[in-house]
Amino acid sequence: MHIGKVVGNVVSTKKEETLTGFKLMIVELINHKNEGIHKELVAVDLVGAGRGEYVLVATGSSARVASGQKDAPIDATIVGIVDTFE
Amino acid sequence: MHIGKVVGNVVSTKKEETLTGFKLMIVELINHKNEGIHKELVAVDLVGAGRGEYVLVATGSSARVASGQKDAPIDATIVGIVDTFE
Amino acid sequence: MHIGKVVGNVVSTKKEETLTGFKLMIVELINHKNEGIHKELVAVDLVGAGRGEYVLVATGSSARVASGQKDAPIDATIVGIVDTFE
Amino acid sequence: MHIGKVVGNVVSTKKEETLTGFKLMIVELINHKNEGIHKELVAVDLVGAGRGEYVLVATGSSARVASGQKDAPIDATIVGIVDTFE
Amino acid sequence: MHIGKVVGNVVSTKKEETLTGFKLMIVELINHKNEGIHKELVAVDLVGAGRGEYVLVATGSSARVASGQKDAPIDATIVGIVDTFE
């Protein structure tokens, strides 16, 4: 998994049906020194994260599995809101 | 997932049968500041995207699952046309 | 797999249920000359690793499989404590 | 998927049985401006590609699925010969 | 897959049970000009490779499948000893 910070969201009306109802958040990945690592991704939010919050992101097939939608094209999910990382 | 911009397409007559009928679009990945990140990929288009449009791309096994063709060699799919990202 | 060094941990109260009970460790990946490679990840600890220890990390679906939680959003696990690497 | 150019091949007598009979081609990945992106991989050829040809490459579990050998250690396959990309 | 050179091995007494009995080799990935590409990984050896030998490495779920241990946290395997690459 990775630590990241929510920096925005994506609105997409014309999309795969199985993505309907999911919030699509833009997450900038960071390291444990809270430094950006020049990587960002769009993740489905499973825990109600908001802009500016630090989150835990899972990627790959594990992300799809967590979404509960085994046929959805989900390769990244927000699976936790981070209290602390040190 | 990633945000990207459709910049072209690939024509391949001699290819795996299970790819027949799919449009193969070249997508340049961008970040949420609309900056290129020096990554591009070829994605199967599932939502009717056109050149110059901003799209949402899924990769890995989640891309294959979304295509509905579980035996097709698809590792990237366009799964949404992006209205806004901010 | 990769060799890494445990440099911290993540605390996340509000998270996917299937992650409950797992320790979330921050691992800096290194090469066999013990040099950092500017990559880190958050891994579920399966072998009782502690801060400062050298560990073996598996990623992707293999990480989820090892956790025994096939529905958990786990894409990285600590699967061994490294005695030596040379 | 990615566009690439076949630049060589690998000969390996002592290998996993399930790889027997497959041609192992070295493919340099390129972008849509026909520029190298400093990435290459070894892909199983499923469409009879030759040295110097432009090809479409799939990676990950989708590559294995396309090979028809679900137990083979195949993570990249050539799945099309590219006529044009623009 | 990738071409690589075996440069060492990892000893890990305290590890996931399913990894028991497997040799863990450190492989530096190279390109077809025999140049390092600043990537290395730890791979389970399935073909009896030795230090200094050139090998073919598979990664991801395909690596686990090849190991025959579908529950093992294996994301990279040595699947061939390379005779020539050109």
PDB file of all heavy atoms in Angstrom, chain B residues 1-29:
ATOM      1  N   MET B   1      -6.534   4.151 -10.748  1.00  0.00           N
ATOM      2  CA  MET B   1      -6.749   4.585 -12.144  1.00  0.00           C
ATOM      3  C   MET B   1      -5.900   5.815 -12.417  1.00  0.00           C
ATOM      4  O   MET B   1      -5.219   6.299 -11.493  1.00  0.00           O
ATOM      5  CB  MET B   1      -8.228   4.930 -12.358  1.00  0.00           C
ATOM      6  CG  MET B   1      -9.154   3.722 -12.375  1.00  0.00           C
ATOM      7  SD  MET B   1      -9.403   2.957 -10.779  1.00  0.00           S
ATOM      8  CE  MET B   1     -10.489   4.120  -9.979  1.00  0.00           C
ATOM      9  N   HIS B   2      -5.915   6.251 -13.663  1.00  0.00           N
ATOM     10  CA  HIS B   2      -5.161   7.465 -14.031  1.00  0.00           C
ATOM     11  C   HIS B   2      -5.995   8.340 -14.963  1.00  0.00           C
ATOM     12  O   HIS B   2      -6.839   7.836 -15.710  1.00  0.00           O
ATOM     13  CB  HIS B   2      -3.846   7.089 -14.727  1.00  0.00           C
ATOM     14  CG  HIS B   2      -2.822   6.523 -13.782  1.00  0.00           C
ATOM     15  ND1 HIS B   2      -2.743   5.178 -13.490  1.00  0.00           N
ATOM     16  CD2 HIS B   2      -1.875   7.123 -13.011  1.00  0.00           C
ATOM     17  CE1 HIS B   2      -1.763   4.979 -12.612  1.00  0.00           C
ATOM     18  NE2 HIS B   2      -1.238   6.148 -12.293  1.00  0.00           N
ATOM     19  N   ILE B   3      -5.680   9.635 -14.924  1.00  0.00           N
ATOM     20  CA  ILE B   3      -6.271  10.555 -15.894  1.00  0.00           C
ATOM     21  C   ILE B   3      -5.327  10.587 -17.102  1.00  0.00           C
ATOM     22  O   ILE B   3      -4.094  10.510 -16.922  1.00  0.00           O
ATOM     23  CB  ILE B   3      -6.378  11.980 -15.311  1.00  0.00           C
ATOM     24  CG1 ILE B   3      -7.041  11.962 -13.929  1.00  0.00           C
ATOM     25  CG2 ILE B   3      -7.129  12.898 -16.269  1.00  0.00           C
ATOM     26  CD1 ILE B   3      -6.946  13.284 -13.198  1.00  0.00           C
ATOM     27  N   GLY B   4      -5.885  10.666 -18.287  1.00  0.00           N
ATOM     28  CA  GLY B   4      -5.028  10.751 -19.462  1.00  0.00           C
ATOM     29  C   GLY B   4      -5.718  11.489 -20.587  1.00  0.00           C
ATOM     30  O   GLY B   4      -6.897  11.838 -20.485  1.00  0.00           O
ATOM     31  N   LYS B   5      -4.962  11.740 -21.657  1.00  0.00           N
ATOM     32  CA  LYS B   5      -5.518  12.428 -22.833  1.00  0.00           C
ATOM     33  C   LYS B   5      -5.289  11.532 -24.047  1.00  0.00           C
ATOM     34  O   LYS B   5      -4.179  11.022 -24.254  1.00  0.00           O
ATOM     35  CB  LYS B   5      -4.817  13.777 -23.011  1.00  0.00           C
ATOM     36  CG  LYS B   5      -5.440  14.656 -24.072  1.00  0.00           C
ATOM     37  CD  LYS B   5      -4.799  16.036 -24.085  1.00  0.00           C
ATOM     38  CE  LYS B   5      -5.457  16.920 -25.151  1.00  0.00           C
ATOM     39  NZ  LYS B   5      -4.762  18.235 -25.265  1.00  0.00           N
ATOM     40  N   VAL B   6      -6.326  11.320 -24.834  1.00  0.00           N
ATOM     41  CA  VAL B   6      -6.201  10.479 -26.031  1.00  0.00           C
ATOM     42  C   VAL B   6      -5.407  11.247 -27.086  1.00  0.00           C
ATOM     43  O   VAL B   6      -5.784  12.363 -27.459  1.00  0.00           O
ATOM     44  CB  VAL B   6      -7.593  10.094 -26.581  1.00  0.00           C
ATOM     45  CG1 VAL B   6      -7.437   9.252 -27.843  1.00  0.00           C
ATOM     46  CG2 VAL B   6      -8.410   9.352 -25.524  1.00  0.00           C
ATOM     47  N   VAL B   7      -4.294  10.666 -27.529  1.00  0.00           N
ATOM     48  CA  VAL B   7      -3.422  11.373 -28.487  1.00  0.00           C
ATOM     49  C   VAL B   7      -3.295  10.628 -29.820  1.00  0.00           C
ATOM     50  O   VAL B   7      -2.607  11.085 -30.730  1.00  0.00           O
ATOM     51  CB  VAL B   7      -2.019  11.613 -27.888  1.00  0.00           C
ATOM     52  CG1 VAL B   7      -2.082  12.544 -26.692  1.00  0.00           C
ATOM     53  CG2 VAL B   7      -1.340  10.300 -27.516  1.00  0.00           C
ATOM     54  N   GLY B   8      -3.903   9.474 -29.921  1.00  0.00           N
ATOM     55  CA  GLY B   8      -3.797   8.748 -31.196  1.00  0.00           C
ATOM     56  C   GLY B   8      -4.413   7.378 -31.088  1.00  0.00           C
ATOM     57  O   GLY B   8      -5.063   7.048 -30.095  1.00  0.00           O
ATOM     58  N   ASN B   9      -4.210   6.577 -32.137  1.00  0.00           N
ATOM     59  CA  ASN B   9      -4.717   5.204 -32.060  1.00  0.00           C
ATOM     60  C   ASN B   9      -3.759   4.259 -32.785  1.00  0.00           C
ATOM     61  O   ASN B   9      -2.871   4.700 -33.515  1.00  0.00           O
ATOM     62  CB  ASN B   9      -6.132   5.109 -32.649  1.00  0.00           C
ATOM     63  CG  ASN B   9      -6.105   5.306 -34.148  1.00  0.00           C
ATOM     64  OD1 ASN B   9      -5.608   6.336 -34.624  1.00  0.00           O
ATOM     65  ND2 ASN B   9      -6.604   4.323 -34.894  1.00  0.00           N
ATOM     66  N   VAL B  10      -3.954   2.966 -32.535  1.00  0.00           N
ATOM     67  CA  VAL B  10      -3.091   1.930 -33.120  1.00  0.00           C
ATOM     68  C   VAL B  10      -3.953   1.080 -34.048  1.00  0.00           C
ATOM     69  O   VAL B  10      -5.069   0.698 -33.699  1.00  0.00           O
ATOM     70  CB  VAL B  10      -2.488   1.032 -32.008  1.00  0.00           C
ATOM     71  CG1 VAL B  10      -1.743  -0.164 -32.602  1.00  0.00           C
ATOM     72  CG2 VAL B  10      -1.563   1.842 -31.106  1.00  0.00           C
ATOM     73  N   VAL B  11      -3.416   0.811 -35.241  1.00  0.00           N
ATOM     74  CA  VAL B  11      -4.093  -0.120 -36.153  1.00  0.00           C
ATOM     75  C   VAL B  11      -3.240  -1.387 -36.227  1.00  0.00           C
ATOM     76  O   VAL B  11      -2.027  -1.324 -36.442  1.00  0.00           O
ATOM     77  CB  VAL B  11      -4.262   0.484 -37.565  1.00  0.00           C
ATOM     78  CG1 VAL B  11      -4.847  -0.569 -38.513  1.00  0.00           C
ATOM     79  CG2 VAL B  11      -5.138   1.732 -37.515  1.00  0.00           C
ATOM     80  N   SER B  12      -3.866  -2.528 -35.961  1.00  0.00           N
ATOM     81  CA  SER B  12      -3.137  -3.798 -35.972  1.00  0.00           C
ATOM     82  C   SER B  12      -4.041  -4.861 -36.592  1.00  0.00           C
ATOM     83  O   SER B  12      -4.997  -5.311 -35.969  1.00  0.00           O
ATOM     84  CB  SER B  12      -2.763  -4.204 -34.543  1.00  0.00           C
ATOM     85  OG  SER B  12      -2.247  -5.529 -34.520  1.00  0.00           O
ATOM     86  N   THR B  13      -3.736  -5.225 -37.831  1.00  0.00           N
ATOM     87  CA  THR B  13      -4.576  -6.215 -38.510  1.00  0.00           C
ATOM     88  C   THR B  13      -4.283  -7.606 -37.970  1.00  0.00           C
ATOM     89  O   THR B  13      -5.165  -8.351 -37.593  1.00  0.00           O
ATOM     90  CB  THR B  13      -4.268  -6.167 -40.037  1.00  0.00           C
ATOM     91  OG1 THR B  13      -3.995  -4.822 -40.420  1.00  0.00           O
ATOM     92  CG2 THR B  13      -5.409  -6.733 -40.835  1.00  0.00           C
ATOM     93  N   LYS B  14      -2.983  -7.946 -37.887  1.00  0.00           N
ATOM     94  CA  LYS B  14      -2.582  -9.286 -37.433  1.00  0.00           C
ATOM     95  C   LYS B  14      -2.440  -9.249 -35.912  1.00  0.00           C
ATOM     96  O   LYS B  14      -1.434  -8.804 -35.375  1.00  0.00           O
ATOM     97  CB  LYS B  14      -1.242  -9.674 -38.073  1.00  0.00           C
ATOM     98  CG  LYS B  14      -0.931 -11.157 -38.010  1.00  0.00           C
ATOM     99  CD  LYS B  14       0.359 -11.466 -38.764  1.00  0.00           C
ATOM    100  CE  LYS B  14       0.791 -12.915 -38.535  1.00  0.00           C
ATOM    101  NZ  LYS B  14       2.174 -13.144 -38.971  1.00  0.00           N
ATOM    102  N   LYS B  15      -3.502  -9.701 -35.217  1.00  0.00           N
ATOM    103  CA  LYS B  15      -3.477  -9.625 -33.753  1.00  0.00           C
ATOM    104  C   LYS B  15      -4.264 -10.779 -33.143  1.00  0.00           C
ATOM    105  O   LYS B  15      -4.960 -11.503 -33.831  1.00  0.00           O
ATOM    106  CB  LYS B  15      -4.049  -8.294 -33.282  1.00  0.00           C
ATOM    107  CG  LYS B  15      -5.485  -7.991 -33.671  1.00  0.00           C
ATOM    108  CD  LYS B  15      -5.896  -6.629 -33.123  1.00  0.00           C
ATOM    109  CE  LYS B  15      -7.326  -6.293 -33.484  1.00  0.00           C
ATOM    110  NZ  LYS B  15      -7.448  -5.838 -34.896  1.00  0.00           N
ATOM    111  N   GLU B  16      -4.138 -10.912 -31.826  1.00  0.00           N
ATOM    112  CA  GLU B  16      -4.897 -11.902 -31.075  1.00  0.00           C
ATOM    113  C   GLU B  16      -6.384 -11.729 -31.370  1.00  0.00           C
ATOM    114  O   GLU B  16      -6.931 -10.627 -31.308  1.00  0.00           O
ATOM    115  CB  GLU B  16      -4.653 -11.682 -29.577  1.00  0.00           C
ATOM    116  CG  GLU B  16      -3.467 -12.415 -29.036  1.00  0.00           C
ATOM    117  CD  GLU B  16      -3.763 -13.912 -28.867  1.00  0.00           C
ATOM    118  OE1 GLU B  16      -4.606 -14.265 -28.036  1.00  0.00           O
ATOM    119  OE2 GLU B  16      -3.175 -14.704 -29.629  1.00  0.00           O
ATOM    120  N   GLU B  17      -7.049 -12.835 -31.639  1.00  0.00           N
ATOM    121  CA  GLU B  17      -8.466 -12.781 -32.044  1.00  0.00           C
ATOM    122  C   GLU B  17      -9.345 -12.046 -31.035  1.00  0.00           C
ATOM    123  O   GLU B  17     -10.220 -11.267 -31.409  1.00  0.00           O
ATOM    124  CB  GLU B  17      -8.961 -14.222 -32.165  1.00  0.00           C
ATOM    125  CG  GLU B  17      -9.375 -14.601 -33.581  1.00  0.00           C
ATOM    126  CD  GLU B  17      -9.972 -16.008 -33.576  1.00  0.00           C
ATOM    127  OE1 GLU B  17      -9.165 -16.966 -33.539  1.00  0.00           O
ATOM    128  OE2 GLU B  17     -11.204 -16.100 -33.510  1.00  0.00           O
ATOM    129  N   THR B  18      -9.067 -12.277 -29.766  1.00  0.00           N
ATOM    130  CA  THR B  18      -9.937 -11.695 -28.732  1.00  0.00           C
ATOM    131  C   THR B  18      -9.859 -10.168 -28.688  1.00  0.00           C
ATOM    132  O   THR B  18     -10.648  -9.526 -28.007  1.00  0.00           O
ATOM    133  CB  THR B  18      -9.518 -12.240 -27.346  1.00  0.00           C
ATOM    134  OG1 THR B  18      -8.092 -12.100 -27.232  1.00  0.00           O
ATOM    135  CG2 THR B  18      -9.903 -13.694 -27.183  1.00  0.00           C
ATOM    136  N   LEU B  19      -8.891  -9.589 -29.433  1.00  0.00           N
ATOM    137  CA  LEU B  19      -8.805  -8.115 -29.479  1.00  0.00           C
ATOM    138  C   LEU B  19      -9.635  -7.550 -30.620  1.00  0.00           C
ATOM    139  O   LEU B  19      -9.829  -6.336 -30.732  1.00  0.00           O
ATOM    140  CB  LEU B  19      -7.338  -7.678 -29.643  1.00  0.00           C
ATOM    141  CG  LEU B  19      -6.427  -7.858 -28.437  1.00  0.00           C
ATOM    142  CD1 LEU B  19      -4.989  -7.496 -28.793  1.00  0.00           C
ATOM    143  CD2 LEU B  19      -6.916  -6.997 -27.269  1.00  0.00           C
ATOM    144  N   THR B  20     -10.137  -8.439 -31.483  1.00  0.00           N
ATOM    145  CA  THR B  20     -10.899  -7.977 -32.634  1.00  0.00           C
ATOM    146  C   THR B  20     -12.133  -7.178 -32.199  1.00  0.00           C
ATOM    147  O   THR B  20     -12.804  -7.567 -31.245  1.00  0.00           O
ATOM    148  CB  THR B  20     -11.349  -9.196 -33.488  1.00  0.00           C
ATOM    149  OG1 THR B  20     -10.190  -9.967 -33.796  1.00  0.00           O
ATOM    150  CG2 THR B  20     -12.030  -8.766 -34.774  1.00  0.00           C
ATOM    151  N   GLY B  21     -12.348  -6.058 -32.848  1.00  0.00           N
ATOM    152  CA  GLY B  21     -13.544  -5.262 -32.565  1.00  0.00           C
ATOM    153  C   GLY B  21     -13.324  -4.167 -31.539  1.00  0.00           C
ATOM    154  O   GLY B  21     -14.134  -3.262 -31.389  1.00  0.00           O
ATOM    155  N   PHE B  22     -12.170  -4.222 -30.856  1.00  0.00           N
ATOM    156  CA  PHE B  22     -11.870  -3.183 -29.869  1.00  0.00           C
ATOM    157  C   PHE B  22     -11.053  -2.053 -30.519  1.00  0.00           C
ATOM    158  O   PHE B  22     -10.129  -2.306 -31.288  1.00  0.00           O
ATOM    159  CB  PHE B  22     -11.050  -3.743 -28.707  1.00  0.00           C
ATOM    160  CG  PHE B  22     -11.829  -4.588 -27.730  1.00  0.00           C
ATOM    161  CD1 PHE B  22     -11.545  -5.936 -27.561  1.00  0.00           C
ATOM    162  CD2 PHE B  22     -12.840  -4.017 -26.964  1.00  0.00           C
ATOM    163  CE1 PHE B  22     -12.257  -6.714 -26.642  1.00  0.00           C
ATOM    164  CE2 PHE B  22     -13.551  -4.783 -26.039  1.00  0.00           C
ATOM    165  CZ  PHE B  22     -13.257  -6.129 -25.882  1.00  0.00           C
ATOM    166  N   LYS B  23     -11.398  -0.798 -30.197  1.00  0.00           N
ATOM    167  CA  LYS B  23     -10.578   0.336 -30.620  1.00  0.00           C
ATOM    168  C   LYS B  23      -9.371   0.433 -29.675  1.00  0.00           C
ATOM    169  O   LYS B  23      -9.525   0.390 -28.448  1.00  0.00           O
ATOM    170  CB  LYS B  23     -11.386   1.626 -30.557  1.00  0.00           C
ATOM    171  CG  LYS B  23     -12.074   1.985 -31.886  1.00  0.00           C
ATOM    172  CD  LYS B  23     -13.107   3.079 -31.709  1.00  0.00           C
ATOM    173  CE  LYS B  23     -12.535   4.339 -31.067  1.00  0.00           C
ATOM    174  NZ  LYS B  23     -13.599   5.303 -30.676  1.00  0.00           N
ATOM    175  N   LEU B  24      -8.158   0.586 -30.256  1.00  0.00           N
ATOM    176  CA  LEU B  24      -6.921   0.658 -29.465  1.00  0.00           C
ATOM    177  C   LEU B  24      -6.443   2.113 -29.481  1.00  0.00           C
ATOM    178  O   LEU B  24      -5.952   2.611 -30.498  1.00  0.00           O
ATOM    179  CB  LEU B  24      -5.859  -0.270 -30.059  1.00  0.00           C
ATOM    180  CG  LEU B  24      -6.226  -1.750 -30.132  1.00  0.00           C
ATOM    181  CD1 LEU B  24      -5.231  -2.527 -30.998  1.00  0.00           C
ATOM    182  CD2 LEU B  24      -6.280  -2.360 -28.721  1.00  0.00           C
ATOM    183  N   MET B  25      -6.603   2.807 -28.360  1.00  0.00           N
ATOM    184  CA  MET B  25      -6.290   4.234 -28.285  1.00  0.00           C
ATOM    185  C   MET B  25      -4.986   4.472 -27.534  1.00  0.00           C
ATOM    186  O   MET B  25      -4.719   3.830 -26.523  1.00  0.00           O
ATOM    187  CB  MET B  25      -7.415   4.990 -27.580  1.00  0.00           C
ATOM    188  CG  MET B  25      -8.816   4.654 -28.073  1.00  0.00           C
ATOM    189  SD  MET B  25      -9.109   5.088 -29.811  1.00  0.00           S
ATOM    190  CE  MET B  25      -9.590   6.820 -29.593  1.00  0.00           C
ATOM    191  N   ILE B  26      -4.203   5.440 -28.035  1.00  0.00           N
ATOM    192  CA  ILE B  26      -2.965   5.819 -27.344  1.00  0.00           C
ATOM    193  C   ILE B  26      -3.311   6.943 -26.363  1.00  0.00           C
ATOM    194  O   ILE B  26      -3.893   7.967 -26.757  1.00  0.00           O
ATOM    195  CB  ILE B  26      -1.892   6.298 -28.343  1.00  0.00           C
ATOM    196  CG1 ILE B  26      -1.618   5.215 -29.403  1.00  0.00           C
ATOM    197  CG2 ILE B  26      -0.609   6.704 -27.631  1.00  0.00           C
ATOM    198  CD1 ILE B  26      -0.762   5.679 -30.554  1.00  0.00           C
ATOM    199  N   VAL B  27      -2.986   6.721 -25.100  1.00  0.00           N
ATOM    200  CA  VAL B  27      -3.344   7.689 -24.044  1.00  0.00           C
ATOM    201  C   VAL B  27      -2.080   8.173 -23.338  1.00  0.00           C
ATOM    202  O   VAL B  27      -1.284   7.362 -22.845  1.00  0.00           O
ATOM    203  CB  VAL B  27      -4.300   7.057 -23.007  1.00  0.00           C
ATOM    204  CG1 VAL B  27      -4.680   8.090 -21.934  1.00  0.00           C
ATOM    205  CG2 VAL B  27      -5.549   6.503 -23.682  1.00  0.00           C
ATOM    206  N   GLU B  28      -1.897   9.477 -23.324  1.00  0.00           N
ATOM    207  CA  GLU B  28      -0.792  10.064 -22.554  1.00  0.00           C
ATOM    208  C   GLU B  28      -1.314  10.350 -21.150  1.00  0.00           C
ATOM    209  O   GLU B  28      -2.322  11.062 -21.002  1.00  0.00           O
ATOM    210  CB  GLU B  28      -0.322  11.378 -23.210  1.00  0.00           C
ATOM    211  CG  GLU B  28       0.868  11.209 -24.109  1.00  0.00           C
ATOM    212  CD  GLU B  28       1.387  12.534 -24.672  1.00  0.00           C
ATOM    213  OE1 GLU B  28       0.776  13.595 -24.410  1.00  0.00           O
ATOM    214  OE2 GLU B  28       2.397  12.489 -25.391  1.00  0.00           O
ATOM    215  N   LEU B  29      -0.666   9.842 -20.128  1.00  0.00           N
ATOM    216  CA  LEU B  29      -1.123  10.052 -18.759  1.00  0.00           C
ATOM    217  C   LEU B  29      -0.716  11.452 -18.295  1.00  0.00           C
ATOM    218  O   LEU B  29       0.352  11.960 -18.677  1.00  0.00           O
ATOM    219  CB  LEU B  29      -0.545   8.980 -17.823  1.00  0.00           C
ATOM    220  CG  LEU B  29      -0.871   7.536 -18.223  1.00  0.00           C
ATOM    221  CD1 LEU B  29      -0.386   6.565 -17.145  1.00  0.00           C
ATOM    222  CD2 LEU B  29      -2.368   7.336 -18.456  1.00  0.00           C
TER     223      LEU B  29
END
